[in-house]
Amino acid sequence: MIYKLALACALVMLVVSQNSACCSDSTVTVSGNGKASAVPDIATFTITVSETAKTSKEASTAANIKTSQAIGILNSNNVNKNDIKTTQLNISPQYDWNNGVQTLRGQQASQSISVKLRNINPDGSTVGSLIDALTTIDNINLSGINFDINDKSQLNKQARQTAFNDAKAKGQQYAQLSGLRFGDALTVTDSSSTNQPIFYAARADAFGGSSTPVSLGQVEVSIDVTVTFKLL
């Protein structure tokens, strides 16, 4: 009888030990999302000049003149020289086709420069004024303007906090539904993305004589987190 009682007690202790091990290893993995947005303070765009003439030299000279005019306008609008960069130079023959016969029309020279504007005004007037100045140069192309934020660290911090709180609230709910106590975070992984407003491309002469309205919109940062919490 004493032997059977001892064996029964041993079996009960084993079951309790196994259940304790099970519960101590219980976890819940949940996801969370957080967003934060702010008005952009940086604008980037590309200016392209293209000229056609009888010779490569004539076309290149004409393109150089207009490119220099554009750079002069950028400099007079306090654009840092380090934020002006040549991104493309090209000279190529241009042909006409008449009744299946190819005829050389001339040479085309084109140049593209990328521009970054810093500390732009929230009302878009900095960008609009510069576009207005550039429209004084005929036959240039302004490629789509992209807006961004120079330092997104505070936005990322805010979105990260929101995402973690979202995941934590889900974990606490699952703990309550499971009849267990909510524990500490064991692992955290995250990924981020940025949605940027875009001002679409247009030829400079398309704006005519009116002032150019520019709406900056907002740059949104989105962070997704996956968190594993301990359940007790």
Side-chain angles (χ1 to χ4, degrees), residues 14-15 19 125 127-128 132 159 178 188 201 205 213:
L14 177 61
V15 171
N19 288 339
S125 60
V127 181
D132 289 342
S178 304
V188 181
D205 53 13

Side-chain angles (χ1 to χ4, degrees), residues 141-145 198-203 207:
N141 188 76
L142 306 180
S143 299
I145 298 176
I198 299 175
F199 183 83
Y200 292 97
R203 291 182 64 84
F207 297 112

Side-chain angles (χ1 to χ4, degrees), residues 79-122:
V79 179
N80 192 302
K81 65 178 182 179
N82 293 327
D83 292 328
I84 304 171
K85 181 173 64 175
T86 298
T87 57
Q88 180 260 341
L89 290 170
N90 183 63
I91 298 176
S92 60
Q94 300 297 301
Y95 296 96
D96 289 326
W97 288 86
N98 295 310
N99 299 321
V101 178
Q102 185 182 49
T103 305
L104 179 65
R105 175 164 29 102
Q107 296 288 328
Q108 183 181 74
S110 61
Q111 299 184 30
S112 295
I113 55 176
S114 65
V115 181
K116 177 181 287 187
L117 302 181
R118 301 179 186 271
N119 303 314
I120 59 177
N121 293 336

Side-chain angles (χ1 to χ4, degrees), residues 27 41 45-46 66 102 111 115 122 217:
T27 61
D41 58 12
F45 63 95
T46 299
K66 289 191 175 181
Q102 185 182 49
Q111 299 184 30
V115 181

Side-chain angles (χ1 to χ4, degrees), residues 66-78 84 134 137:
K66 289 191 175 181
T67 300
S68 296
Q69 288 178 323
I71 293 175
I73 290 173
L74 297 175
N75 291 334
S76 64
N77 281 268
N78 300 316
I84 304 171
L134 289 169
I137 306 173

